[in-house]
Structures are given as structure tokens and as C-alpha cells.
Amino acid sequence: MAKGRESDMPPPELWEGFFEPDGILEALGCGVSPGDVVEFGCGYGTFTIAAARRVSGTVYASDIDPTMVRATIDRLVRAGVRSVVVETRDFVADGCGRPDASATFVMLFNILHIEDPIGLLREAHRVVRVGGVVGVIHWRHDIETPRGPSLEIRPRPAQCRAWAEKAGLRWLSSPELPNSPWHWGMKLGR
Ligand SMILES: C[S@@+](CC[C@H](N)C(=O)[O-])C[C@H]1O[C@@H](n2cnc3c(N)ncnc32)[C@H](O)[C@@H]1O
């Protein structure tokens, strides 16, 4: 397999001006329950560090792009954050590599526009524990946005919910994301 379509990143300073990671994680309930986090496609580690600071367990993050993995590791080292395991991995071909029902919080952030979103949601369903949360964010389609995948492949909330239900997850809520005007968010449960 390969990198999901339209998954390349702009420079980090630009990317990280588009949202507020900690507010998003708070809104989606990251850190409410103790346990581990799994992140699919960590990019520059924008949400990895913020998640690690909120949870008692380990954050398992992966990305298919070694440059992104390197950027995330460098950032973790600079920040002195040690509770994160980052690896280069193709989660479409190989899954996330974590045991069944082992995560309290799963991050599917800016990634469900890939070719097989239901397959990725099934992998999220496999790894999240009962009572845990799969958090989804993506670019809005109902306003003009400064970035984001093409509108034809940009998932809408209702579509995402239908895919999630096919994958065995259930919709919990669609919270507002503070200081992140270009994105919508959704909490899914098992
Ligand atoms: C649009 S970026 C989002 C990064 C991060 N989730 C965020 O919101 O800041 C998508 C990331 O997913 C990674 N990615 C795409 N396809 C992947 C795959 N099959 N396996 C692992 N990572 C993948 C890309 O390399 C990229 O870093």
C-alpha cells in the first residue's frame, strides 16, 4: 500500500495555525479516562505531544512518512516527553500494531479522506476498548477553508457517522472544536 491520497502536509508553521490541538483534545474527551492512546498518521506530532500531556498511559503514534516520524521524534525529545512510541508504519497495510481493545482514546485526525475510510474505522474499532473514544476531526466542506483535501473526497460528518456504524462503532456526539474554525469533530464509541 502507500500513503493515503492527498495526505501531504504543508510546512508545520502553516499547518499548526489552522487549529488548537489542546482544545480539540479536550472537546473530544482525550484524557478523561486513564489508558493508552493510538494515533493514526501523526504528521508533525501536532496532536501527539498534546495528547501525551493529557493522558496517564502511552501514546502509540505512527506515520508512513519517515520524515514525519523524524519530525515527531525530534519534537518529543525537545519537549522532554517520553511517554510516546512513534514508528514508521503503513496502517492501511499493517494496521496500528496494538492489541485488540487496548486503547482508551484513538485519533483519526485529518485522515478519513483516504481510499478506504471504513477499513481504517474498522481498525480503530478493533483497538479501542469498550468505553473508550475514537476521536475524528476533519476539514469542513460547508465553508471555504484555507487547506484540506478536494471537496469530492472530503468526508462530511453524516457520511463519517454512517461509515463508523458500518465499522461497528457508534456515534456519541459532535462537539464544537474551540478555536478551530475550519474543522468539525466527532466522538465515536465502541
Ligand atoms: C493530513 S496529515 C494529518 C496529520 C495529523 N493527523 C494531523 O492532523 O496533524 C495525514 C498524515 O497521515 C499519513 N499517512 C497517510 N497514509 C498513511 C498510511 N497508509 N499509513 C500511515 N500514515 C499515513 C501522512 O504521511 C500524513 O502525515
Side-chain angles (χ1 to χ4, degrees):
M1 249 309 200
K3 190 183 269 205
R5 58 190 175 184
E6 298 191 34
S7 285
D8 282 333
M9 297 282 271
E13 318 76 59
L14 181 62
W15 181 249
E16 298 188 354
F18 294 140
F19 32 60
E20 193 216 312
D22 206 48
I24 288 177
L25 291 169
E26 172 78 24
L28 295 174
C30 175
V32 168
S33 311
D36 293 340
V37 172
V38 169
E39 182 180 24
F40 289 87
C42 60
Y44 295 114
T46 308
F47 293 93
T48 319
I49 293 208
R53 291 194 166 123
R54 300 180 70 84
V55 300
S56 55
T58 300
V59 178
Y60 294 91
S62 60
D63 201 290
I64 198 169
D65 184 339
T67 317
M68 293 292 134
V69 170
R70 188 72 253 162
T72 301
I73 291 172
D74 287 349
R75 197 167 183 175
L76 289 164
V77 170
R78 281 198 305 275
V81 174
R82 298 166 75 160
S83 54
V84 179
V85 176
V86 196
E87 63 171 338
T88 305
R89 186 178 190 92
D90 179 347
F91 54 63
V92 173
D94 303 324
C96 68
R98 298 297 304 153
D100 292 355
S102 60
T104 300
F105 191 78
V106 175
M107 293 194 263
L108 292 177
F109 289 3
N110 299 304
I111 195 64
L112 280 180
H113 58 282
I114 62 168
E115 289 79 352
D116 181 13
I118 299 178
L120 183 50
L121 284 157
R122 282 204 184 99
E123 176 63 357
H125 171 264
R126 182 191 70 74
V127 80
V128 74
R129 69 166 172 74
V130 174
V133 170
V134 177
V136 177
I137 69 162
H138 221 305
W139 290 92
R140 288 173 60 176
H141 57 85
D142 55 334
I143 52 170
E144 271 204 41
T145 56
R147 179 93 198 170
S150 316
L151 282 179
E152 311 87 70
I153 64 165
R154 205 181 280 201
R156 292 157 193 244
Q159 188 178 42
C160 175
R161 179 175 176 171
W163 289 337
E165 286 169 356
K166 274 200 181 143
L169 292 161
R170 68 197 165 85
W171 178 86
L172 297 174
S173 63
S174 297
E176 288 294 312
L177 303 178
N179 304 318
S180 304
W182 316 115
H183 282 75
W184 56 264
M186 188 175 290
K187 288 171 75 174
L188 302 164
R190 195 181 155 164

PDB file of all heavy atoms in Angstrom, residues 51-90:
ATOM      1  N   ALA A  51      -1.568  15.186  23.251  1.00  0.00           N
ATOM      2  CA  ALA A  51      -2.245  14.009  23.833  1.00  0.00           C
ATOM      3  C   ALA A  51      -1.394  13.421  24.953  1.00  0.00           C
ATOM      4  O   ALA A  51      -1.908  13.075  26.022  1.00  0.00           O
ATOM      5  CB  ALA A  51      -2.509  12.966  22.743  1.00  0.00           C
ATOM      6  N   ALA A  52      -0.089  13.335  24.720  1.00  0.00           N
ATOM      7  CA  ALA A  52       0.793  12.733  25.733  1.00  0.00           C
ATOM      8  C   ALA A  52       0.728  13.504  27.049  1.00  0.00           C
ATOM      9  O   ALA A  52       0.844  12.922  28.128  1.00  0.00           O
ATOM     10  CB  ALA A  52       2.225  12.693  25.212  1.00  0.00           C
ATOM     11  N   ARG A  53       0.527  14.804  26.939  1.00  0.00           N
ATOM     12  CA  ARG A  53       0.480  15.629  28.158  1.00  0.00           C
ATOM     13  C   ARG A  53      -0.843  15.469  28.911  1.00  0.00           C
ATOM     14  O   ARG A  53      -0.957  15.875  30.054  1.00  0.00           O
ATOM     15  CB  ARG A  53       0.690  17.101  27.793  1.00  0.00           C
ATOM     16  CG  ARG A  53       2.116  17.347  27.322  1.00  0.00           C
ATOM     17  CD  ARG A  53       2.435  18.841  27.299  1.00  0.00           C
ATOM     18  NE  ARG A  53       3.860  19.047  27.173  1.00  0.00           N
ATOM     19  CZ  ARG A  53       4.451  19.752  26.215  1.00  0.00           C
ATOM     20  NH1 ARG A  53       3.713  20.311  25.280  1.00  0.00           N
ATOM     21  NH2 ARG A  53       5.753  19.884  26.186  1.00  0.00           N
ATOM     22  N   ARG A  54      -1.833  14.899  28.236  1.00  0.00           N
ATOM     23  CA  ARG A  54      -3.162  14.792  28.854  1.00  0.00           C
ATOM     24  C   ARG A  54      -3.442  13.421  29.464  1.00  0.00           C
ATOM     25  O   ARG A  54      -4.389  13.284  30.218  1.00  0.00           O
ATOM     26  CB  ARG A  54      -4.253  15.051  27.801  1.00  0.00           C
ATOM     27  CG  ARG A  54      -4.193  16.404  27.146  1.00  0.00           C
ATOM     28  CD  ARG A  54      -5.316  16.545  26.135  1.00  0.00           C
ATOM     29  NE  ARG A  54      -6.586  16.638  26.807  1.00  0.00           N
ATOM     30  CZ  ARG A  54      -7.096  17.764  27.302  1.00  0.00           C
ATOM     31  NH1 ARG A  54      -6.469  18.903  27.147  1.00  0.00           N
ATOM     32  NH2 ARG A  54      -8.247  17.757  27.914  1.00  0.00           N
ATOM     33  N   VAL A  55      -2.673  12.398  29.037  1.00  0.00           N
ATOM     34  CA  VAL A  55      -3.042  11.035  29.455  1.00  0.00           C
ATOM     35  C   VAL A  55      -1.985  10.419  30.358  1.00  0.00           C
ATOM     36  O   VAL A  55      -0.813  10.800  30.328  1.00  0.00           O
ATOM     37  CB  VAL A  55      -3.293  10.115  28.224  1.00  0.00           C
ATOM     38  CG1 VAL A  55      -4.422  10.659  27.373  1.00  0.00           C
ATOM     39  CG2 VAL A  55      -2.037   9.935  27.396  1.00  0.00           C
ATOM     40  N   SER A  56      -2.439   9.415  31.119  1.00  0.00           N
ATOM     41  CA  SER A  56      -1.518   8.747  32.036  1.00  0.00           C
ATOM     42  C   SER A  56      -0.763   7.627  31.328  1.00  0.00           C
ATOM     43  O   SER A  56       0.298   7.208  31.775  1.00  0.00           O
ATOM     44  CB  SER A  56      -2.315   8.155  33.197  1.00  0.00           C
ATOM     45  OG  SER A  56      -3.334   7.313  32.679  1.00  0.00           O
ATOM     46  N   GLY A  57      -1.311   7.121  30.235  1.00  0.00           N
ATOM     47  CA  GLY A  57      -0.696   5.978  29.557  1.00  0.00           C
ATOM     48  C   GLY A  57       0.283   6.408  28.473  1.00  0.00           C
ATOM     49  O   GLY A  57       0.799   7.530  28.479  1.00  0.00           O
ATOM     50  N   THR A  58       0.517   5.490  27.547  1.00  0.00           N
ATOM     51  CA  THR A  58       1.456   5.721  26.442  1.00  0.00           C
ATOM     52  C   THR A  58       0.677   6.100  25.175  1.00  0.00           C
ATOM     53  O   THR A  58      -0.412   5.582  24.947  1.00  0.00           O
ATOM     54  CB  THR A  58       2.261   4.426  26.182  1.00  0.00           C
ATOM     55  OG1 THR A  58       2.964   4.101  27.381  1.00  0.00           O
ATOM     56  CG2 THR A  58       3.236   4.580  25.036  1.00  0.00           C
ATOM     57  N   VAL A  59       1.255   7.003  24.403  1.00  0.00           N
ATOM     58  CA  VAL A  59       0.681   7.331  23.095  1.00  0.00           C
ATOM     59  C   VAL A  59       1.460   6.545  22.045  1.00  0.00           C
ATOM     60  O   VAL A  59       2.688   6.667  21.952  1.00  0.00           O
ATOM     61  CB  VAL A  59       0.782   8.844  22.792  1.00  0.00           C
ATOM     62  CG1 VAL A  59       0.221   9.150  21.401  1.00  0.00           C
ATOM     63  CG2 VAL A  59       0.051   9.665  23.849  1.00  0.00           C
ATOM     64  N   TYR A  60       0.752   5.712  21.275  1.00  0.00           N
ATOM     65  CA  TYR A  60       1.368   4.953  20.183  1.00  0.00           C
ATOM     66  C   TYR A  60       0.994   5.647  18.881  1.00  0.00           C
ATOM     67  O   TYR A  60      -0.175   5.620  18.464  1.00  0.00           O
ATOM     68  CB  TYR A  60       0.868   3.507  20.195  1.00  0.00           C
ATOM     69  CG  TYR A  60       1.328   2.769  21.426  1.00  0.00           C
ATOM     70  CD1 TYR A  60       0.548   2.737  22.577  1.00  0.00           C
ATOM     71  CD2 TYR A  60       2.572   2.133  21.450  1.00  0.00           C
ATOM     72  CE1 TYR A  60       0.983   2.081  23.725  1.00  0.00           C
ATOM     73  CE2 TYR A  60       3.011   1.474  22.592  1.00  0.00           C
ATOM     74  CZ  TYR A  60       2.213   1.459  23.721  1.00  0.00           C
ATOM     75  OH  TYR A  60       2.649   0.817  24.850  1.00  0.00           O
ATOM     76  N   ALA A  61       1.979   6.284  18.264  1.00  0.00           N
ATOM     77  CA  ALA A  61       1.727   7.077  17.060  1.00  0.00           C
ATOM     78  C   ALA A  61       2.486   6.468  15.887  1.00  0.00           C
ATOM     79  O   ALA A  61       3.592   5.947  16.065  1.00  0.00           O
ATOM     80  CB  ALA A  61       2.191   8.514  17.291  1.00  0.00           C
ATOM     81  N   SER A  62       1.904   6.544  14.708  1.00  0.00           N
ATOM     82  CA  SER A  62       2.633   6.061  13.536  1.00  0.00           C
ATOM     83  C   SER A  62       2.323   6.942  12.330  1.00  0.00           C
ATOM     84  O   SER A  62       1.307   7.639  12.294  1.00  0.00           O
ATOM     85  CB  SER A  62       2.276   4.599  13.234  1.00  0.00           C
ATOM     86  OG  SER A  62       0.906   4.488  12.980  1.00  0.00           O
ATOM     87  N   ASP A  63       3.235   6.859  11.382  1.00  0.00           N
ATOM     88  CA  ASP A  63       3.053   7.565  10.113  1.00  0.00           C
ATOM     89  C   ASP A  63       3.850   6.816   9.063  1.00  0.00           C
ATOM     90  O   ASP A  63       4.929   6.281   9.352  1.00  0.00           O
ATOM     91  CB  ASP A  63       3.536   9.025  10.209  1.00  0.00           C
ATOM     92  CG  ASP A  63       2.909   9.904   9.137  1.00  0.00           C
ATOM     93  OD1 ASP A  63       3.245   9.739   7.947  1.00  0.00           O
ATOM     94  OD2 ASP A  63       2.048  10.753   9.494  1.00  0.00           O
ATOM     95  N   ILE A  64       3.333   6.794   7.850  1.00  0.00           N
ATOM     96  CA  ILE A  64       4.022   6.076   6.773  1.00  0.00           C
ATOM     97  C   ILE A  64       5.251   6.848   6.279  1.00  0.00           C
ATOM     98  O   ILE A  64       6.150   6.288   5.658  1.00  0.00           O
ATOM     99  CB  ILE A  64       3.042   5.839   5.599  1.00  0.00           C
ATOM    100  CG1 ILE A  64       3.552   4.752   4.669  1.00  0.00           C
ATOM    101  CG2 ILE A  64       2.744   7.128   4.845  1.00  0.00           C
ATOM    102  CD1 ILE A  64       2.520   4.294   3.645  1.00  0.00           C
ATOM    103  N   ASP A  65       5.290   8.139   6.585  1.00  0.00           N
ATOM    104  CA  ASP A  65       6.329   9.012   6.038  1.00  0.00           C
ATOM    105  C   ASP A  65       7.447   9.183   7.072  1.00  0.00           C
ATOM    106  O   ASP A  65       7.246   9.813   8.118  1.00  0.00           O
ATOM    107  CB  ASP A  65       5.674  10.360   5.702  1.00  0.00           C
ATOM    108  CG  ASP A  65       6.625  11.329   5.031  1.00  0.00           C
ATOM    109  OD1 ASP A  65       7.854  11.155   5.178  1.00  0.00           O
ATOM    110  OD2 ASP A  65       6.138  12.272   4.386  1.00  0.00           O
ATOM    111  N   PRO A  66       8.642   8.642   6.799  1.00  0.00           N
ATOM    112  CA  PRO A  66       9.726   8.712   7.772  1.00  0.00           C
ATOM    113  C   PRO A  66      10.097  10.145   8.161  1.00  0.00           C
ATOM    114  O   PRO A  66      10.557  10.395   9.279  1.00  0.00           O
ATOM    115  CB  PRO A  66      10.914   8.032   7.072  1.00  0.00           C
ATOM    116  CG  PRO A  66      10.369   7.356   5.870  1.00  0.00           C
ATOM    117  CD  PRO A  66       9.028   7.950   5.560  1.00  0.00           C
ATOM    118  N   THR A  67       9.878  11.092   7.248  1.00  0.00           N
ATOM    119  CA  THR A  67      10.183  12.492   7.580  1.00  0.00           C
ATOM    120  C   THR A  67       9.260  12.995   8.690  1.00  0.00           C
ATOM    121  O   THR A  67       9.678  13.750   9.582  1.00  0.00           O
ATOM    122  CB  THR A  67       9.967  13.387   6.333  1.00  0.00           C
ATOM    123  OG1 THR A  67      10.504  12.724   5.216  1.00  0.00           O
ATOM    124  CG2 THR A  67      10.589  14.738   6.488  1.00  0.00           C
ATOM    125  N   MET A  68       8.022  12.571   8.637  1.00  0.00           N
ATOM    126  CA  MET A  68       7.047  12.964   9.670  1.00  0.00           C
ATOM    127  C   MET A  68       7.399  12.294  11.007  1.00  0.00           C
ATOM    128  O   MET A  68       7.326  12.923  12.067  1.00  0.00           O
ATOM    129  CB  MET A  68       5.629  12.546   9.245  1.00  0.00           C
ATOM    130  CG  MET A  68       5.105  13.280   8.047  1.00  0.00           C
ATOM    131  SD  MET A  68       4.831  15.020   8.455  1.00  0.00           S
ATOM    132  CE  MET A  68       5.558  15.811   7.074  1.00  0.00           C
ATOM    133  N   VAL A  69       7.797  11.047  10.922  1.00  0.00           N
ATOM    134  CA  VAL A  69       8.162  10.320  12.149  1.00  0.00           C
ATOM    135  C   VAL A  69       9.371  11.001  12.794  1.00  0.00           C
ATOM    136  O   VAL A  69       9.406  11.239  14.008  1.00  0.00           O
ATOM    137  CB  VAL A  69       8.445   8.832  11.827  1.00  0.00           C
ATOM    138  CG1 VAL A  69       9.054   8.113  13.016  1.00  0.00           C
ATOM    139  CG2 VAL A  69       7.149   8.146  11.400  1.00  0.00           C
ATOM    140  N   ARG A  70      10.350  11.365  11.970  1.00  0.00           N
ATOM    141  CA  ARG A  70      11.557  12.039  12.479  1.00  0.00           C
ATOM    142  C   ARG A  70      11.171  13.380  13.141  1.00  0.00           C
ATOM    143  O   ARG A  70      11.639  13.720  14.224  1.00  0.00           O
ATOM    144  CB  ARG A  70      12.512  12.276  11.291  1.00  0.00           C
ATOM    145  CG  ARG A  70      13.867  12.788  11.608  1.00  0.00           C
ATOM    146  CD  ARG A  70      14.744  11.737  12.258  1.00  0.00           C
ATOM    147  NE  ARG A  70      14.922  12.026  13.679  1.00  0.00           N
ATOM    148  CZ  ARG A  70      15.334  11.157  14.579  1.00  0.00           C
ATOM    149  NH1 ARG A  70      15.616   9.932  14.244  1.00  0.00           N
ATOM    150  NH2 ARG A  70      15.465  11.501  15.837  1.00  0.00           N
ATOM    151  N   ALA A  71      10.307  14.121  12.452  1.00  0.00           N
ATOM    152  CA  ALA A  71       9.890  15.433  12.984  1.00  0.00           C
ATOM    153  C   ALA A  71       9.195  15.257  14.335  1.00  0.00           C
ATOM    154  O   ALA A  71       9.425  16.029  15.275  1.00  0.00           O
ATOM    155  CB  ALA A  71       8.950  16.117  11.990  1.00  0.00           C
ATOM    156  N   THR A  72       8.372  14.229  14.433  1.00  0.00           N
ATOM    157  CA  THR A  72       7.644  13.993  15.693  1.00  0.00           C
ATOM    158  C   THR A  72       8.620  13.600  16.798  1.00  0.00           C
ATOM    159  O   THR A  72       8.554  14.113  17.925  1.00  0.00           O
ATOM    160  CB  THR A  72       6.560  12.910  15.493  1.00  0.00           C
ATOM    161  OG1 THR A  72       5.662  13.351  14.484  1.00  0.00           O
ATOM    162  CG2 THR A  72       5.781  12.651  16.768  1.00  0.00           C
ATOM    163  N   ILE A  73       9.555  12.703  16.476  1.00  0.00           N
ATOM    164  CA  ILE A  73      10.529  12.268  17.496  1.00  0.00           C
ATOM    165  C   ILE A  73      11.371  13.457  17.957  1.00  0.00           C
ATOM    166  O   ILE A  73      11.570  13.661  19.163  1.00  0.00           O
ATOM    167  CB  ILE A  73      11.417  11.123  16.953  1.00  0.00           C
ATOM    168  CG1 ILE A  73      10.576   9.855  16.775  1.00  0.00           C
ATOM    169  CG2 ILE A  73      12.604  10.855  17.887  1.00  0.00           C
ATOM    170  CD1 ILE A  73      11.282   8.715  16.068  1.00  0.00           C
ATOM    171  N   ASP A  74      11.847  14.264  17.016  1.00  0.00           N
ATOM    172  CA  ASP A  74      12.681  15.427  17.387  1.00  0.00           C
ATOM    173  C   ASP A  74      11.919  16.344  18.337  1.00  0.00           C
ATOM    174  O   ASP A  74      12.462  16.853  19.318  1.00  0.00           O
ATOM    175  CB  ASP A  74      13.077  16.228  16.137  1.00  0.00           C
ATOM    176  CG  ASP A  74      14.123  15.493  15.310  1.00  0.00           C
ATOM    177  OD1 ASP A  74      14.672  14.484  15.807  1.00  0.00           O
ATOM    178  OD2 ASP A  74      14.356  15.903  14.160  1.00  0.00           O
ATOM    179  N   ARG A  75      10.667  16.504  18.018  1.00  0.00           N
ATOM    180  CA  ARG A  75       9.843  17.393  18.824  1.00  0.00           C
ATOM    181  C   ARG A  75       9.628  16.836  20.238  1.00  0.00           C
ATOM    182  O   ARG A  75       9.668  17.569  21.222  1.00  0.00           O
ATOM    183  CB  ARG A  75       8.512  17.477  18.097  1.00  0.00           C
ATOM    184  CG  ARG A  75       7.686  18.580  18.509  1.00  0.00           C
ATOM    185  CD  ARG A  75       6.605  18.681  17.483  1.00  0.00           C
ATOM    186  NE  ARG A  75       5.812  19.820  17.816  1.00  0.00           N
ATOM    187  CZ  ARG A  75       4.842  20.259  17.079  1.00  0.00           C
ATOM    188  NH1 ARG A  75       4.558  19.662  15.942  1.00  0.00           N
ATOM    189  NH2 ARG A  75       4.154  21.292  17.445  1.00  0.00           N
ATOM    190  N   LEU A  76       9.423  15.533  20.302  1.00  0.00           N
ATOM    191  CA  LEU A  76       9.233  14.890  21.614  1.00  0.00           C
ATOM    192  C   LEU A  76      10.499  15.032  22.453  1.00  0.00           C
ATOM    193  O   LEU A  76      10.437  15.320  23.650  1.00  0.00           O
ATOM    194  CB  LEU A  76       8.900  13.403  21.420  1.00  0.00           C
ATOM    195  CG  LEU A  76       7.509  13.126  20.843  1.00  0.00           C
ATOM    196  CD1 LEU A  76       7.423  11.703  20.317  1.00  0.00           C
ATOM    197  CD2 LEU A  76       6.439  13.364  21.900  1.00  0.00           C
ATOM    198  N   VAL A  77      11.631  14.846  21.807  1.00  0.00           N
ATOM    199  CA  VAL A  77      12.906  14.955  22.529  1.00  0.00           C
ATOM    200  C   VAL A  77      13.079  16.378  23.046  1.00  0.00           C
ATOM    201  O   VAL A  77      13.399  16.604  24.216  1.00  0.00           O
ATOM    202  CB  VAL A  77      14.084  14.538  21.607  1.00  0.00           C
ATOM    203  CG1 VAL A  77      15.418  14.879  22.244  1.00  0.00           C
ATOM    204  CG2 VAL A  77      13.995  13.050  21.277  1.00  0.00           C
ATOM    205  N   ARG A  78      12.819  17.343  22.160  1.00  0.00           N
ATOM    206  CA  ARG A  78      12.963  18.756  22.573  1.00  0.00           C
ATOM    207  C   ARG A  78      12.041  19.095  23.739  1.00  0.00           C
ATOM    208  O   ARG A  78      12.396  19.849  24.636  1.00  0.00           O
ATOM    209  CB  ARG A  78      12.662  19.692  21.396  1.00  0.00           C
ATOM    210  CG  ARG A  78      13.795  19.833  20.398  1.00  0.00           C
ATOM    211  CD  ARG A  78      13.615  21.084  19.534  1.00  0.00           C
ATOM    212  NE  ARG A  78      12.338  21.131  18.851  1.00  0.00           N
ATOM    213  CZ  ARG A  78      12.090  20.547  17.679  1.00  0.00           C
ATOM    214  NH1 ARG A  78      13.039  19.878  17.051  1.00  0.00           N
ATOM    215  NH2 ARG A  78      10.900  20.649  17.126  1.00  0.00           N
ATOM    216  N   ALA A  79      10.845  18.501  23.721  1.00  0.00           N
ATOM    217  CA  ALA A  79       9.864  18.810  24.770  1.00  0.00           C
ATOM    218  C   ALA A  79      10.072  17.955  26.016  1.00  0.00           C
ATOM    219  O   ALA A  79       9.394  18.155  27.028  1.00  0.00           O
ATOM    220  CB  ALA A  79       8.455  18.601  24.231  1.00  0.00           C
ATOM    221  N   GLY A  80      10.968  16.972  25.928  1.00  0.00           N
ATOM    222  CA  GLY A  80      11.209  16.093  27.075  1.00  0.00           C
ATOM    223  C   GLY A  80      10.031  15.172  27.373  1.00  0.00           C
ATOM    224  O   GLY A  80       9.849  14.726  28.504  1.00  0.00           O
ATOM    225  N   VAL A  81       9.248  14.862  26.353  1.00  0.00           N
ATOM    226  CA  VAL A  81       8.095  13.956  26.537  1.00  0.00           C
ATOM    227  C   VAL A  81       8.542  12.530  26.213  1.00  0.00           C
ATOM    228  O   VAL A  81       9.041  12.263  25.125  1.00  0.00           O
ATOM    229  CB  VAL A  81       6.926  14.382  25.610  1.00  0.00           C
ATOM    230  CG1 VAL A  81       5.797  13.375  25.672  1.00  0.00           C
ATOM    231  CG2 VAL A  81       6.432  15.766  25.985  1.00  0.00           C
ATOM    232  N   ARG A  82       8.352  11.615  27.183  1.00  0.00           N
ATOM    233  CA  ARG A  82       8.884  10.265  26.999  1.00  0.00           C
ATOM    234  C   ARG A  82       7.815   9.186  26.886  1.00  0.00           C
ATOM    235  O   ARG A  82       8.130   8.023  26.651  1.00  0.00           O
ATOM    236  CB  ARG A  82       9.808   9.939  28.171  1.00  0.00           C
ATOM    237  CG  ARG A  82      10.982  10.900  28.201  1.00  0.00           C
ATOM    238  CD  ARG A  82      11.720  10.849  29.485  1.00  0.00           C
ATOM    239  NE  ARG A  82      12.542   9.647  29.549  1.00  0.00           N
ATOM    240  CZ  ARG A  82      13.574   9.517  30.358  1.00  0.00           C
ATOM    241  NH1 ARG A  82      13.907  10.495  31.162  1.00  0.00           N
ATOM    242  NH2 ARG A  82      14.275   8.412  30.379  1.00  0.00           N
ATOM    243  N   SER A  83       6.582   9.566  27.050  1.00  0.00           N
ATOM    244  CA  SER A  83       5.518   8.558  27.087  1.00  0.00           C
ATOM    245  C   SER A  83       4.892   8.317  25.714  1.00  0.00           C
ATOM    246  O   SER A  83       3.693   8.065  25.605  1.00  0.00           O
ATOM    247  CB  SER A  83       4.438   9.021  28.061  1.00  0.00           C
ATOM    248  OG  SER A  83       4.011  10.322  27.695  1.00  0.00           O
ATOM    249  N   VAL A  84       5.719   8.423  24.666  1.00  0.00           N
ATOM    250  CA  VAL A  84       5.212   8.245  23.299  1.00  0.00           C
ATOM    251  C   VAL A  84       6.101   7.256  22.562  1.00  0.00           C
ATOM    252  O   VAL A  84       7.327   7.318  22.663  1.00  0.00           O
ATOM    253  CB  VAL A  84       5.217   9.593  22.526  1.00  0.00           C
ATOM    254  CG1 VAL A  84       4.707   9.395  21.104  1.00  0.00           C
ATOM    255  CG2 VAL A  84       4.374  10.642  23.239  1.00  0.00           C
ATOM    256  N   VAL A  85       5.475   6.334  21.837  1.00  0.00           N
ATOM    257  CA  VAL A  85       6.201   5.430  20.946  1.00  0.00           C
ATOM    258  C   VAL A  85       5.789   5.800  19.527  1.00  0.00           C
ATOM    259  O   VAL A  85       4.606   5.768  19.198  1.00  0.00           O
ATOM    260  CB  VAL A  85       5.830   3.953  21.241  1.00  0.00           C
ATOM    261  CG1 VAL A  85       6.510   3.020  20.245  1.00  0.00           C
ATOM    262  CG2 VAL A  85       6.186   3.594  22.678  1.00  0.00           C
ATOM    263  N   VAL A  86       6.766   6.190  18.714  1.00  0.00           N
ATOM    264  CA  VAL A  86       6.462   6.603  17.330  1.00  0.00           C
ATOM    265  C   VAL A  86       7.140   5.642  16.373  1.00  0.00           C
ATOM    266  O   VAL A  86       8.327   5.337  16.547  1.00  0.00           O
ATOM    267  CB  VAL A  86       7.008   8.018  17.007  1.00  0.00           C
ATOM    268  CG1 VAL A  86       6.357   8.555  15.741  1.00  0.00           C
ATOM    269  CG2 VAL A  86       6.780   8.974  18.140  1.00  0.00           C
ATOM    270  N   GLU A  87       6.429   5.193  15.360  1.00  0.00           N
ATOM    271  CA  GLU A  87       7.083   4.320  14.380  1.00  0.00           C
ATOM    272  C   GLU A  87       6.623   4.623  12.968  1.00  0.00           C
ATOM    273  O   GLU A  87       5.539   5.150  12.757  1.00  0.00           O
ATOM    274  CB  GLU A  87       6.853   2.849  14.712  1.00  0.00           C
ATOM    275  CG  GLU A  87       5.427   2.422  14.658  1.00  0.00           C
ATOM    276  CD  GLU A  87       5.268   0.906  14.777  1.00  0.00           C
ATOM    277  OE1 GLU A  87       6.212   0.150  14.493  1.00  0.00           O
ATOM    278  OE2 GLU A  87       4.166   0.478  15.143  1.00  0.00           O
ATOM    279  N   THR A  88       7.494   4.254  12.027  1.00  0.00           N
ATOM    280  CA  THR A  88       7.132   4.358  10.619  1.00  0.00           C
ATOM    281  C   THR A  88       6.328   3.116  10.279  1.00  0.00           C
ATOM    282  O   THR A  88       6.799   1.992  10.468  1.00  0.00           O
ATOM    283  CB  THR A  88       8.395   4.423   9.735  1.00  0.00           C
ATOM    284  OG1 THR A  88       9.206   5.495  10.203  1.00  0.00           O
ATOM    285  CG2 THR A  88       8.036   4.658   8.283  1.00  0.00           C
ATOM    286  N   ARG A  89       5.118   3.331   9.814  1.00  0.00           N
ATOM    287  CA  ARG A  89       4.217   2.205   9.620  1.00  0.00           C
ATOM    288  C   ARG A  89       3.127   2.572   8.628  1.00  0.00           C
ATOM    289  O   ARG A  89       2.638   3.708   8.650  1.00  0.00           O
ATOM    290  CB  ARG A  89       3.591   1.890  10.983  1.00  0.00           C
ATOM    291  CG  ARG A  89       2.751   0.672  11.026  1.00  0.00           C
ATOM    292  CD  ARG A  89       2.217   0.424  12.428  1.00  0.00           C
ATOM    293  NE  ARG A  89       1.623  -0.882  12.453  1.00  0.00           N
ATOM    294  CZ  ARG A  89       2.254  -1.989  12.796  1.00  0.00           C
ATOM    295  NH1 ARG A  89       3.492  -1.954  13.223  1.00  0.00           N
ATOM    296  NH2 ARG A  89       1.644  -3.158  12.727  1.00  0.00           N
ATOM    297  N   ASP A  90       2.732   1.624   7.808  1.00  0.00           N
ATOM    298  CA  ASP A  90       1.593   1.813   6.914  1.00  0.00           C
ATOM    299  C   ASP A  90       0.373   1.187   7.593  1.00  0.00           C
ATOM    300  O   ASP A  90       0.229  -0.032   7.618  1.00  0.00           O
ATOM    301  CB  ASP A  90       1.887   1.131   5.573  1.00  0.00           C
ATOM    302  CG  ASP A  90       0.737   1.255   4.583  1.00  0.00           C
ATOM    303  OD1 ASP A  90      -0.379   1.642   4.988  1.00  0.00           O
ATOM    304  OD2 ASP A  90       0.957   0.947   3.397  1.00  0.00           O
TER     305      ASP A  90
END
